[in-house]
Amino acid sequence: MGHHRKALRTTAVGAVSATLIAGGVLGVAPAAQAASAVRFVDITGDGGTVLKANVITPAGADGSRRYPLLVLPTSWGLPQVEYLAQAQKLADSGYVVVSYNVRGFWQSGGEIEVAGPPDIADASKVIDWALANTPADSKHIGMGGVSYGAGISLLAAAHDKRIKAVAALSGWADLIGSIYSGRTQHVQAAGLLDGASLVTGRQSPEIRQIFNDFYASNLSKEQDIINWGKKRSAGTYVDQLNKNGTALMLANSWGDTIFPANQYADFYEKLTGPKRLEFRPGDHATAELTGLFGLPNDVWTDTERWFDHYLKGVDNGIDREAPVQLKSRSTGGYEGYPDWKSVAATERKIALAGTTTIHTNVDSGADGGIVFLSSILDQVAQLPPMASIPLLPRRWAAVWQSEKYATAQQIRGTAELHTTVTPTKESGTLVAYLYDVGPLGLGKLVSNAPYTFHGLTPGKPFGLDLELFSTAYDVPAGHRLALVVDTVDPLYIEHNPSGAQLTFSSPANDPSYVSIPLREQ
């Protein structure tokens, strides 16, 4: 595991850091040519920690009037130039924009707290500084950012009622539900975050211990890790966000391998104030990436519209649009819905009949792909991970298929697996995959999700209900759907004792099925 994790760190950190640092540097070019000036400043954060920041004010600001304030915390492992291109555009349209490097990364002081209390206190300190040192309006304050910046912005809005609007792009509302869904460690996602922070920042002893316990599958520390994650999840503070009435825009990608779409959708449904939810094809932060270069970008366009309406009072219609906006992985247009539950108008069940036993510890060839790479290929070329369904070895994989569909099936939302499992050991891991299968048997991955159990009685059946990661995918006419279950996937840590077997059955009084959410047609 150690060598595998080291390799992940080297490749992932190099790719992500080089790409987004380049984006930030390129963003300096339009900023340098514009009338609005960029100031690089030091801001004193919580406990005296120095935060490196940059400030852009509207051209001609002379102190005679106040402007709405936008605060943009940086993404995980990225420098303070990350948002310069977008910050310049926002300043040109009449905002004071302050972007700061979060504590523990790059030149900012302190240690990485993973959106802990010091990070939330830092956000309020940055607002205090901006109100005292720029022509910022204390009654019109927004926060936003990508990834880590998104998570911090949501948490800060729950704790600081001065924040009236947030645009949280590729963020999280449930940290544990993101990287530990189904009690299964998302090892590639964790390795990416761990590696990036080792290269670009300074980990606190607490986060180092969390990573170590996470990799080691230390069940005695499981509840401690869950509690640690809840403190750092906006979903924990949803009541406070609703009380504050903060206008929240959430945007994410269907294939986000760090913060899956499900956790944002679940959080969105609990919000009662002004809200908007956007999902597009791609992986973590890839939908926003071109905007960091200053190029046209739908996510950043909607972000500015969101702030314009809720901070400036501009009647641009964003509040009257369908609040849930989706772009299918298969088609180019947007679809609007009144709420998340309306995305799937109907459900169609595929029966998982019979009794099937599989052996564990071997990868059948059905996989969720590679962090970042697979979903980016799906985003730009509609090439998700693939597998030849007829050739999957039935010793290691359970396979069920639907009939061929006479018409296209527009999958929208969250597929759910219900089955009965009988293990031969007290612990185990399984991974469920939903495939779009063409005439030649080649399956394209529609969705997947892992599930791990511990402390069960060997030989005793148990009921399993598992939500696959939410998606929007069109199955062509003449194709069929296949559900595949195996026990090993490079994305996840598996917990199958040597020689273990899993049996899937469909009792007459509790038949097994996978429920497919479909758009109204």
Side-chain angles (χ1 to χ4, degrees):
M1 178 62 67
H3 176 75
H4 176 61
R5 197 161 65 244
K6 183 176 181 181
L8 277 174
R9 292 173 185 169
T10 302
T11 56
V13 174
V16 177
S17 296
T19 300
L20 283 177
I21 291 171
V25 172
L26 286 175
V28 174
Q33 296 170 7
S36 302
V38 180
R39 287 193 293 143
F40 290 88
V41 300
D42 289 351
I43 298 176
T44 302
D46 186 55
T49 297
V50 175
L51 306 173
K52 296 294 183 178
N54 58 70
V55 183
I56 307 180
T57 54
D62 57 7
S64 62
R65 59 166 292 193
R66 295 285 170 176
Y67 300 88
L69 169 66
L70 293 178
V71 176
L72 309 177
T74 52
S75 300
W76 184 271
L78 298 184
Q80 58 166 306
V81 296
E82 176 186 4
Y83 301 116
L84 275 182
Q86 286 300 324
Q88 183 65 68
K89 289 184 178 181
L90 291 164
D92 288 345
S93 67
Y95 292 93
V96 173
V97 185
V98 180
S99 176
Y100 70 97
N101 234 121
V102 291
R103 65 169 55 223
F105 284 104
W106 293 83
Q107 288 82 26
S108 285
E111 296 176 324
I112 299 168
E113 300 286 345
V114 194
D119 289 304
I120 309 312
D122 283 346
S124 292
K125 291 285 188 180
V126 171
I127 292 173
D128 293 342
W129 181 93
L131 295 177
N133 294 278
T134 74
D137 186 344
S138 62
K139 295 181 180 180
H140 299 90
I141 298 172
M143 282 191 70
V146 177
S147 186
Y148 197 36
I152 289 176
S153 294
L154 287 172
L155 288 161
H159 291 83
D160 192 331
K161 62 178 62 176
R162 295 177 297 178
I163 302 168
K164 303 303 182 183
V166 168
L169 316 179
S170 290
W172 77 93
D174 183 350
L175 189 56
I176 296 302
S178 295
I179 63 173
Y180 191 55
S181 70
R183 293 186 78 183
T184 309
Q185 295 94 329
H186 297 209
V187 66
Q188 287 190 15
L192 179 70
L193 297 172
D194 187 7
S197 63
L198 287 172
V199 171
T200 63
R202 299 166 301 283
Q203 294 184 350
S204 67
E206 180 185 37
I207 180 57
R208 183 66 261 155
Q209 190 61 52
I210 290 289
F211 274 124
N212 290 343
D213 291 338
F214 183 86
Y215 294 134
S217 307
N218 188 345
L219 290 179
S220 68
K221 298 291 185 179
E222 183 181 39
Q223 192 58 50
D224 291 341
I225 293 174
I226 291 172
N227 293 340
W228 173 88
K230 283 184 176 180
K231 185 186 295 185
R232 291 160 170 81
S233 297
T236 303
Y237 311 101
V238 67
D239 290 344
Q240 191 60 44
L241 283 165
N242 288 335
K243 181 180 177 181
N244 292 347
T246 316
L248 302 177
M249 172 181 156
L250 312 174
N252 206 353
S253 297
W254 294 120
D256 195 319
T257 42
I258 298 181
F259 303 131
N262 296 48
Q263 48 92 33
Y264 248 16
D266 292 344
F267 175 64
Y268 175 85
E269 286 292 271
K270 298 174 184 175
L271 298 173
T272 58
K275 59 182 180 177
R276 183 178 177 92
L277 179 67
E278 301 184 354
F279 284 130
R280 298 172 175 83
D283 206 310
H284 184 65
T286 61
E288 302 89 350
L289 182 59
T290 57
L292 296 178
F293 287 82
L295 300 174
N297 181 278
D298 288 355
V299 189
W300 286 103
T301 296
D302 285 350
T303 293
E304 184 170 354
R305 294 175 65 224
W306 188 254
F307 286 139
D308 281 351
H309 181 74
Y310 287 102
L311 296 182
K312 290 183 179 179
V314 176
D315 185 12
N316 55 19
I318 197 167
D319 57 318
R320 296 188 295 275
E321 295 173 1
V324 176
Q325 294 285 325
L326 311 181
K327 181 180 279 190
S328 168
R329 292 161 53 197
S330 309
T331 58
Y334 284 96
E335 303 165 3
Y337 300 88
D339 49 39
W340 175 248
K341 65 178 179 289
S342 299
V343 169
T346 60
E347 293 185 353
R348 175 174 293 176
K349 291 182 178 179
I350 300 173
L352 310 181
T355 299
T356 303
T357 298
I358 61 173
H359 294 70
T360 64
N361 308 116
V362 173
D363 189 341
S364 71
D367 287 325
I370 301 172
V371 65
F372 274 118
L373 178 61
S374 296
S375 292
I376 291 174
L377 283 174
D378 185 41
Q379 177 183 0
V380 301
Q382 295 186 8
L383 290 175
M386 300 182 187
S388 175
I389 304 304
L391 297 182
L392 290 175
R394 274 28 179 196
R395 178 179 177 85
W396 315 112
V399 180
W400 298 267
Q401 296 192 72
S402 72
E403 298 298 320
K404 288 183 180 179
Y405 295 112
T407 59
Q409 304 294 298
Q410 296 181 321
I411 298 175
R412 300 291 186 271
T414 310
E416 299 181 19
L417 167 64
H418 173 76
T419 189
T420 297
V421 184
T422 305
T424 59
K425 305 288 185 179
E426 66 172 14
S427 295
T429 296
L430 59 89
V431 185
Y433 310 89
L434 187 65
Y435 283 99
D436 161 24
V437 185
L440 299 180
L442 184 64
K444 293 183 177 181
L445 186 66
V446 176
S447 185
N448 78 100
Y451 181 85
T452 293
F453 58 89
H454 296 288
L456 298 186
T457 302
K460 183 178 180 180
F462 69 90
L464 169 63
D465 289 287
L466 177 63
E467 288 190 349
L468 277 63
F469 299 135
S470 303
T471 195
Y473 182 97
D474 298 352
V475 180
H479 287 212
R480 64 181 79 215
L481 286 170
L483 182 81
V484 177
V485 180
D486 72 1
T487 62
V488 177
D489 189 303
L491 286 173
Y492 313 112
I493 291 180
E494 52 95 3
H495 301 268
N496 297 296
S498 180
Q501 299 177 31
L502 298 176
T503 296
F504 301 92
S505 57
S506 184
N509 63 344
D510 186 20
S512 296
Y513 60 85
V514 58
S515 178
I516 308 299
L518 298 174
R519 181 187 183 192
E520 186 173 0
Q521 297 173 252

